[in-house]
Amino acid sequence: FRKKGGSFKLSYYNEYKSYLRMVVPEQLEDRPTDFFVRDPKVNGRGSFRKKGGSIKPIVTIGYNNLADIDEPDLNNVLDVLRRRYLNNFFYTYIGDILVYMPPFSGISLYSDEDVQYYCDNNAFDPDLKPHIYSFADRIYSNMLFWKRNQCVIMTGASGSGKTINTKQFLSYIQSVSGGWNISITLKTRLAHLFNVLDCFGSAQTADSIYASKYTSQLQLKFNYFGDIVSCQLKTCLLEKSRVTGPPPGESNFHIFHLLMEHIGSDGKAYPFLKNTSHTFALKVTLPSIQNSLVALGLDESEKDHVINILTAILMLGQVKYKAEADGIGVRVLDVDLVKRIAKMLGVKDSSMMDALTSTPQVSGNRKILMNPLTYEKAMAKRNTLASYLYLRLFNEVLTCANESLAGEFADKDTEAEELLLTLDIVDGYGFKTGDDNNFATLCINYSNERLHQLYIQQVLTQPQELYLQEGLGWDPIRVPDNRGTVILFTDLQPHSLMESIEEECNNGSSEGFSAYDAFKDISSPYFMLSHEEDNVFSIRHYAGEVSYYAGNFHKTAKSGLHKDLKRVMNSSKLPLLQRMFPDGAPDQWMKGKDTMCVAKGYTNAVDMLLRDLKNKFVSFVRCIKPNLSSTPQLFEDEVVEDQVSAACLVETAQIKQNGFAFSSDLVSFVQRYKCTHEEDQFRKCDGDWQMAADRICGNLSIDMDNYFVGYSVIFIKDSPTVLHLEKARDDHIDSIVTKIQLCWKRRHINRKLGPHLRAVRETLATADKTKKIVLPKLDGPFSAKINDYLERIYRCWWASCLVKSLKEPLRSRIRTAITADSAFKGEFSNVEGRNIRVSKPMNINKLRHRGNYIQSDQFNSRIQPLLSSGERGAHGSRVIFAGPINRLNRKHVVERGNIVLTDNALIFLTPKFELYPQKTLFLKDVRAVSLSHHVDTMCVIHPKEDGRDMVLDFGVTGIYHTLPEFISLLYHTCRKVRKRINVNVYQERIRYNNSRKPGVFDEITFTAKKDSKKNKPGAPLCQLKNKVVIFYGGKDILH
């Protein structure tokens, strides 16, 4: 065995086959033989984890952390990922980076039990299995520990699991945090928001059923205590072109197919849905989405307006034109269709017809003239209206959702918001390398280039630079660099790619986009202009070379709605449409240009996103697709190798292995952990932060190989060291808080109540303890409560003085009687329509406990060997109670016997004092005892195991109080062994199950009988089918 990172490597599992089959029996057939496990016999440090009272073995196939690999090269990284994936381990760490591979199957990875499990365990525990929940717990803990804003970026190809990890990350954060009525307000609204986003922003592609077609930045805001106080969702680059023409083999947005499903149509009658592919049933219905919209802030009437707008968008695809004979202008073939569209949108028929067939122009005398459109421009204008109706509807829904999620900090200028901590979750498009790549694909890949550049800077480059600056002996590891590609897009001189596209779209020919004219001045090794195909160019991205067709850039790169369309939509009777088109107001619709290139605007949006993340601690989740066909248990080496190389996972593992997993500035480290030092002089640090940090680690016996103190930063090697620091801090914080509270309370009481307490103390010191004492009263505010409190203290003190003055066995008898009295007070029962507290009638003053009601030498000779037998005296060491009983067996036949209560068990003996087979019940297995509130001698003992209840009758001796004595002694004895049992007192009937079958219950009912002489104690129980009827006497024998 060779130890590495706290785990042990087993090169071959054949020698441990029996152990492995015991732990993971179904996962060992037809598996590679060279893999690694954590052996609990070798590693005694946390190999088994206790969860919910049971022992849960932790088995690790491969490494939990790729930084623990001996030689983290490409082959070894792929080998570990392959073995983990084929053995259903889908999450892996690389230091603090999380890698995820989707299972593509119905395996359950997320449950409430998993949330509770990761919440109960420290996220820095190295034995904790990697999971999105443990990753979320780390991020949340770091935010609260260091009071630093956090950001999580989900990266990966389309269909690799970014969205599901975003949802589960958010679900865990909601579970562990509170505030703002989280259970019914924020959590519910976020669930509605994700339902709406799944329908309005997702579509089916070849890679994923719910492929997100937008980039989202979800920002959570927390107060100082870690409670969520508000939430905001920012989006950019919704793929609005999908509305009028999705790529082949893909679907339109899910909301359109949900609408078709609701009306019972296949959608073939609508051209926007005719050639789409939608092959699965959605999980929601249209009415549920409408309810979600209302929950997010839309008015009740506006949920129907949303459906009208969506229907109008689909009907716009049915509008067909025919060119006029003279070639000037077009006419609509179906005028009634346009009227129906206008009615749904709440606009005038004539205004809608003019907007679809002509365009306004301002003449020299400031009059507006309507110029007819050509066939091509009319079709383009129709599609533009459909796309922008959907885009602005999507944005309006998000605006309403953000207002409902803003919480109490809706005002962005409040000073209180500056004190909030933020956690951003960024989920965007996956990198695209398809055949049909247009301007939208170019923008998607540009945003991925910028996020990958951020990953290289923060994970690969900056840590190495910091090691060198802090004086750590470090051999730099060469890492890939995509700065050349990023410069090509925005900063290349004399013209960058985006500047060239914008200039050509705004100033070039209206007939089409010319790649040669636009890019002839670009000179970069990362850009290639094709000489074989027109309007085709290639870019060397970090994930490989991608070719783009620029012939339609003048259509897709230009964005904007015609002025007259804005005016017509703003004139609608629907308030929702008026809010969607505020720029169509009468005093604004003629301002600005109709269309403009959005290249510069998109780069500015990406720059704004990265500037927002600049001052935050960024963490990454790298999603890797194991295969391209979404097949379970299929690991394609070439596919994974390309993604691992592009994501720089090998370089990350090398840096994390040779470097340090965690770092902190010395001031923050000392301020956080100085409480673990016992010396008072240390708490007043004189500015030597290096010495202070070193003394903290030395005081906690941390190995010097696991940390390094630099000039201004301390580096920590692994998570076990962080876990050790946090546990030590928690232990000291508890004692410090207790001392502070004690000192404050003592000082507060002395200042407020000192004179009065001194008077009370003097009265008690000089008073006769055998007589009742009148304490001095306190005047002033809250005097009544304080006087009552002092009276209770006095009564407790007086009672303790009286009890201490008693001698045995009277003291023990009184304590047992008091315990019995508290045990026999039952729960509230409904008696004749009234809730009353029922209890067992008993007279404490007349109890004369004997304990042993079996005076027989034969009993003593049989019971003593039984108590001395068993492993470590399993039956107990002494007899507390013994007496004869009647027992009802599972066939409802009465059996005579004896019961013995020891300090560890209940033992059932035959009349000849022989041990019943399997009739020893240990006190730790007793769950409850049930009895009635009548004058009878019946009770039912309920063990933990269902179906083995014991029905007992203690009336054999003819002495009534043997039952209360037994119950009180049983209750008292269980308390001594740290076992609290419930004593249930019922009014009319007791349910029990002694049939050895779970869920089969019988009843004991009680009936009053005036002639109590015929029901003598000790008489056999009356039997009536499956019910046992007990006769009890009247008040004449109550005492």
Side-chain angles (χ1 to χ4, degrees):
F1 300 110
R2 181 154 45 86
K3 188 174 182 181
K4 178 65 180 175
S7 61
F8 286 81
K9 175 180 178 181
L10 303 181
S11 296
Y12 300 94
Y13 82 101
N14 291 329
E15 298 177 5
Y16 291 84
K17 201 168 186 178
S18 59
Y19 163 70
L20 292 173
R21 287 187 181 279
M22 176 183 68
V23 181
V24 279
E26 294 100 5
Q27 298 179 0
L28 298 180
E29 299 298 335
D30 301 326
R31 290 286 185 267
T33 59
D34 182 16
F35 68 103
F36 316 110
V37 301
R38 184 178 296 279
D39 189 350
K41 299 178 181 178
V42 179
N43 181 13
R45 181 175 56 82
S47 293
F48 286 91
R49 181 178 307 285
K50 191 171 184 181
K51 176 187 176 184
S54 61
I55 301 297
K56 180 180 180 181
I58 293 181
V59 179
T60 304
I61 305 298
Y63 290 92
N64 280 343
N65 199 322
L66 295 181
D68 293 337
I69 302 177
D70 296 334
E71 297 179 0
D73 55 16
L74 181 59
N75 293 331
N76 289 336
V77 169
L78 289 176
D79 185 61
V80 172
L81 291 177
R82 182 190 309 109
R83 298 181 192 283
R84 290 183 63 83
Y85 180 77
L86 296 179
N87 287 277
N88 296 334
F89 290 86
F90 305 109
Y91 287 99
T92 309
Y93 278 124
I94 312 180
D96 55 352
I97 308 299
L98 185 65
V99 179
Y100 170 73
M101 291 185 292
F104 297 130
S105 63
I107 296 178
S108 177
L109 298 178
Y110 319 102
S111 65
D112 294 338
E113 291 77 12
D114 292 329
V115 171
Q116 187 63 42
Y117 175 69
Y118 285 99
C119 184
D120 292 341
N121 293 277
N122 196 300
F124 298 101
D125 190 343
D127 291 332
L128 204 61
K129 191 172 76 169
H131 198 277
I132 188 63
Y133 291 158
S134 64
F135 179 78
D137 197 59
R138 284 190 181 190
I139 303 300
Y140 182 72
S141 301
N142 286 335
M143 181 186 67
L144 297 183
F145 289 165
W146 307 112
K147 303 303 177 187
R148 185 177 180 183
N149 297 332
Q150 304 284 320
C151 174
V152 177
I153 299 179
M154 309 287 177
T155 62
S158 178
S160 60
K162 300 186 298 298
T163 302
I164 185 63
N165 278 283
T166 299
K167 293 180 180 179
Q168 295 302 325
F169 183 95
L170 180 61
S171 174
Y172 184 85
I173 296 298
Q174 293 179 74
S175 300
V176 299
S177 63
W180 194 45
N181 203 4
I182 183 69
S183 59
I184 61 175
T185 305
L186 181 61
K187 190 173 183 177
T188 303
R189 290 177 182 175
L190 284 174
H192 287 303
L193 175 61
F194 279 110
N195 285 338
V196 171
L197 291 177
D198 284 342
C199 290
F200 280 83
S202 300
Q204 181 181 0
T205 65
D207 299 319
S208 175
I209 294 177
Y210 282 94
S212 299
K213 294 304 170 185
Y214 61 93
T215 299
S216 67
Q217 179 189 1
L218 183 65
Q219 186 177 81
L220 304 175
K221 295 186 178 181
F222 302 80
N223 60 16
Y224 185 85
F225 303 102
D227 301 332
I228 300 179
V229 295
S230 69
C231 175
Q232 293 290 297
L233 179 66
K234 306 173 184 178
T235 63
C236 62
L237 195 68
L238 177 72
E239 191 181 359
K240 63 179 183 297
S241 59
R242 180 173 292 268
V243 175
T244 58
E250 298 185 6
S251 76
N252 210 314
F253 289 104
H254 287 318
I255 187 63
F256 293 117
H257 300 280
L258 194 66
L259 180 60
M260 294 297 101
E261 182 181 310
H262 182 71
I263 64 177
S265 172
D266 58 0
K268 300 300 182 182
Y270 299 96
F272 290 164
L273 303 179
K274 187 175 182 179
N275 297 322
T276 62
S277 175
H278 198 273
T279 59
F280 75 102
L282 293 165
K283 300 178 182 179
V284 294
T285 61
L286 189 64
S288 66
I289 292 299
Q290 288 181 289
N291 294 333
S292 296
L293 292 173
V294 174
L296 292 176
L298 266 71
D299 292 339
E300 189 71 27
S301 60
E302 290 181 344
K303 68 179 184 181
D304 295 328
H305 297 166
V306 171
I307 304 303
N308 291 343
I309 294 173
L310 293 174
T311 306
I313 292 173
L314 294 179
M315 293 173 65
L316 280 171
Q318 296 178 311
V319 175
K320 296 181 180 180
Y321 298 95
K322 184 177 181 180
E324 296 291 353
D326 56 359
I328 301 176
V330 294
R331 60 185 176 89
V332 176
L333 297 180
D334 191 347
V335 178
D336 293 336
L337 177 62
V338 175
K339 292 181 179 180
R340 293 199 301 271
I341 295 175
K343 183 178 180 181
M344 286 194 170
L345 295 178
V347 300
K348 295 181 180 180
D349 299 347
S350 58
S351 299
M352 193 68 194
M353 184 65 70
D354 292 340
L356 291 177
T357 56
S358 59
T359 183
Q361 183 178 359
V362 181
S363 62
N365 56 0
R366 307 298 296 174
K367 290 185 178 181
I368 299 177
L369 304 177
M370 303 302 294
N371 294 332
L373 295 173
T374 63
Y375 179 84
E376 291 77 11
K377 290 185 177 181
M379 292 291 291
K381 191 174 184 181
R382 181 204 68 175
N383 292 344
T384 300
L385 175 60
S387 299
Y388 267 85
L389 275 173
Y390 191 81
L391 174 64
R392 298 208 176 188
L393 176 62
F394 182 81
N395 292 336
E396 180 61 27
V397 170
L398 291 186
T399 300
C400 294
N402 285 331
E403 291 177 357
S404 67
L405 295 171
E408 58 181 305
F409 293 94
D411 186 3
K412 303 302 180 183
D413 297 328
T414 58
E415 297 181 0
E417 192 186 14
E418 297 179 358
L419 303 177
L420 299 180
L421 298 170
T422 62
L423 170 58
D424 290 18
I425 309 172
V426 179
D427 176 20
Y429 284 108
F431 191 88
K432 300 187 69 173
T433 59
D435 297 330
D436 185 16
N437 298 312
N438 53 19
F439 178 75
T441 306
L442 183 70
C443 293
I444 292 170
N445 291 345
Y446 167 70
S447 63
N448 279 275
E449 285 284 354
R450 294 297 303 272
L451 292 177
H452 186 66
Q453 184 186 35
L454 180 66
Y455 178 84
I456 292 175
Q457 291 174 350
Q458 298 218 358
V459 178
L460 304 181
T461 305
Q462 291 181 2
Q464 298 190 77
E465 295 175 351
L466 187 61
Y467 295 156
L468 296 175
Q469 292 174 4
E470 294 296 322
L472 179 66
W474 178 260
D475 294 330
I477 297 175
R478 187 175 180 181
V479 298
D481 191 359
N482 68 334
R483 284 184 296 178
T485 306
V486 175
I487 291 174
L488 167 67
F489 274 91
T490 56
D491 299 325
L492 186 65
Q493 298 297 330
H495 298 289
S496 65
L497 182 66
M498 289 299 191
E499 290 176 349
S500 300
I501 292 175
E502 185 165 7
E503 183 177 353
E504 179 65 18
C505 288
N506 293 334
N507 303 323
S509 173
S510 60
E511 299 298 328
F513 189 94
S514 173
Y516 177 79
D517 294 337
F519 307 136
K520 60 183 179 181
D521 296 331
I522 295 180
S523 176
S524 172
Y526 300 94
F527 177 84
M528 288 74 67
L529 186 62
S530 176
H531 298 286
E532 299 177 356
E533 300 179 71
D534 292 337
N535 289 324
V536 175
F537 65 94
S538 301
I539 297 177
R540 287 173 50 191
H541 291 282
Y542 73 94
E545 185 174 315
V546 180
S547 297
Y548 300 91
Y549 176 68
N552 57 359
F553 273 20
H554 67 290
K555 298 179 181 179
T556 56
K558 280 189 175 183
S559 180
L561 194 62
H562 294 74
K563 300 175 183 178
D564 57 328
L565 291 178
K566 298 177 186 178
R567 177 182 58 83
V568 172
M569 294 299 107
N570 182 264
S571 65
S572 170
K573 298 178 181 179
L574 306 182
L576 179 61
L577 263 178
Q578 294 176 7
R579 296 201 308 270
M580 289 167 50
F581 294 90
D583 50 352
D587 57 340
Q588 295 184 11
W589 72 277
M590 285 299 295
K591 297 179 181 180
K593 297 181 178 180
D594 277 343
T595 60
M596 58 180 298
C597 184
V598 297
K600 190 65 174 179
Y602 183 72
T603 56
N604 291 338
V606 175
D607 290 340
M608 186 181 301
L609 170 65
L610 294 177
R611 282 196 302 270
D612 192 24
L613 305 181
K614 184 177 181 180
N615 297 324
K616 299 177 181 178
F617 185 84
V618 182
S619 301
F620 292 86
V621 177
R622 309 293 264 181
C623 299
I624 305 294
K625 291 187 66 174
N627 58 77
L628 297 180
S629 58
S630 301
T631 304
Q633 288 292 301
L634 177 61
F635 189 94
E636 297 179 348
D637 286 6
E638 294 183 358
V639 174
V640 179
E641 180 180 347
D642 293 340
Q643 297 175 78
V644 168
S645 300
C648 302
L649 299 189
V650 176
E651 293 82 359
T652 304
Q654 293 172 352
I655 293 176
K656 296 295 183 181
Q657 182 191 61
N658 298 320
F660 294 85
F662 305 93
S663 63
S664 171
D665 62 279
L666 290 177
V667 177
S668 299
F669 180 84
V670 172
Q671 292 293 339
R672 179 167 183 80
Y673 297 110
K674 68 180 181 180
C675 60
T676 61
H677 206 283
E678 300 296 340
E679 299 180 13
D680 293 338
Q681 295 83 359
F682 174 78
R683 303 179 191 275
K684 302 175 183 178
C685 184
D686 294 331
D688 193 349
W689 303 109
Q690 287 180 297
M691 181 189 69
D694 195 60
R695 291 181 67 180
I696 290 175
C697 296
N699 181 57
L700 297 177
S701 302
I702 299 177
D703 190 353
M704 296 185 63
D705 294 336
N706 289 334
Y707 73 95
F708 176 81
V709 180
Y711 304 124
S712 59
V713 177
I714 182 171
F715 301 97
I716 301 175
K717 186 67 177 178
D718 48 23
S719 56
T721 305
V722 178
L723 180 64
H724 179 56
L725 285 166
E726 288 301 319
K727 286 184 176 179
R729 180 180 181 272
D730 291 341
D731 294 341
H732 285 78
I733 284 294
D734 291 341
S735 61
I736 291 174
V737 170
T738 303
K739 291 179 181 179
I740 293 174
Q741 291 177 343
L742 179 61
C743 294
W744 184 89
K745 288 181 180 179
R746 183 178 299 170
R747 183 176 180 182
H748 178 74
I749 291 175
N750 288 337
R751 185 174 64 251
K752 298 293 184 182
L753 304 177
H756 181 70
L757 292 178
R758 283 192 291 271
V760 172
R761 191 181 301 114
E762 293 175 358
T763 303
L764 295 176
T766 58
D768 185 0
K769 297 181 181 179
T770 60
K771 298 180 181 179
K772 187 174 181 180
I773 305 172
V774 179
L775 297 177
K777 300 296 183 180
L778 178 67
D779 298 328
F782 310 107
S783 59
K785 293 184 178 180
I786 295 176
N787 290 328
D788 292 341
Y789 180 67
L790 291 176
E791 285 289 342
R792 289 198 301 271
I793 295 177
Y794 161 69
R795 287 194 294 267
C796 293
W797 170 78
W798 191 23
S800 65
C801 292
L802 294 177
V803 172
K804 289 178 182 178
S805 64
L806 300 176
K807 297 181 179 180
E808 294 291 352
L810 181 59
R811 183 192 301 179
S812 298
R813 189 166 68 245
I814 290 179
R815 284 182 173 174
T816 304
I818 293 174
T819 302
D821 182 60
S822 64
F824 281 112
K825 283 185 171 65
E827 299 298 329
F828 284 100
S829 267
N830 190 293
V831 180
E832 298 179 356
R834 295 179 297 115
N835 287 331
I836 64 171
R837 185 182 291 278
V838 297
S839 60
K840 191 74 173 178
M842 56 180 289
N843 194 330
I844 296 178
N845 297 326
K846 294 186 178 182
L847 284 183
R848 296 294 183 265
H849 291 176
R850 287 166 50 185
N852 190 349
Y853 292 88
I854 304 176
Q855 301 299 330
S856 172
D857 295 336
Q858 184 182 6
F859 169 73
N860 295 330
S861 62
R862 291 290 181 89
I863 197 65
Q864 291 302 328
L866 188 62
L867 295 180
S868 60
S869 64
E871 183 181 357
R872 298 182 180 179
H875 295 96
S877 59
R878 63 188 180 90
V879 175
I880 297 175
F881 178 89
I885 58 168
N886 282 334
R887 187 179 67 87
L888 191 68
N889 64 16
R890 60 178 178 174
K891 296 181 179 180
H892 295 88
V893 176
V894 177
E895 297 178 351
R896 185 64 63 87
N898 299 281
I899 187 170
V900 180
L901 171 64
T902 69
D903 54 355
N904 195 39
L906 283 171
I907 305 172
F908 297 89
L909 304 177
T910 64
K912 296 182 179 181
F913 308 113
E914 296 177 352
L915 182 66
Y916 271 112
Q918 300 179 352
K919 284 297 183 295
T920 298
L921 179 62
F922 295 103
L923 297 184
K924 64 182 180 62
D925 296 328
V926 178
R927 177 170 52 87
V929 179
S930 296
L931 58 154
S932 76
H933 82 295
H934 303 296
V935 182
D936 61 79
T937 56
M938 293 293 301
C939 77
V940 179
I941 299 177
H942 305 281
K944 287 183 178 179
E945 185 177 359
D946 194 13
R948 294 185 177 272
D949 295 344
M950 300 176 184
V951 183
L952 307 177
D953 177 21
F954 284 80
V956 179
T957 60
I959 304 174
Y960 164 71
H961 62 72
T962 54
L963 174 61
E965 179 181 354
F966 169 75
I967 297 297
S968 61
L969 292 175
L970 175 62
Y971 185 85
H972 199 63
T973 306
C974 289
R975 290 288 299 272
K976 289 183 177 180
V977 297
R978 299 180 182 275
K979 170 66 177 177
R980 191 179 186 95
I981 63 173
N982 295 326
V983 179
N984 305 317
V985 183
Y986 293 98
Q987 175 78 9
E988 297 179 354
R989 58 178 59 86
I990 300 176
R991 298 183 69 198
Y992 69 94
N993 181 7
N994 65 348
S995 63
R996 305 297 191 270
K997 299 178 181 179
V1000 180
F1001 291 95
D1002 295 323
E1003 289 183 351
I1004 301 176
T1005 60
F1006 300 88
T1007 304
K1009 190 167 185 178
K1010 296 181 180 180
D1011 189 2
S1012 60
K1013 294 181 180 180
K1014 295 182 180 181
N1015 183 33
K1016 296 181 180 180
L1021 301 175
C1022 298
Q1023 304 158 35
L1024 181 60
K1025 293 184 179 180
N1026 291 339
K1027 293 186 178 180
V1028 180
V1029 181
I1030 303 300
F1031 298 98
Y1032 61 90
K1035 295 183 179 180
D1036 54 332
I1037 62 169
L1038 181 62
H1039 298 295

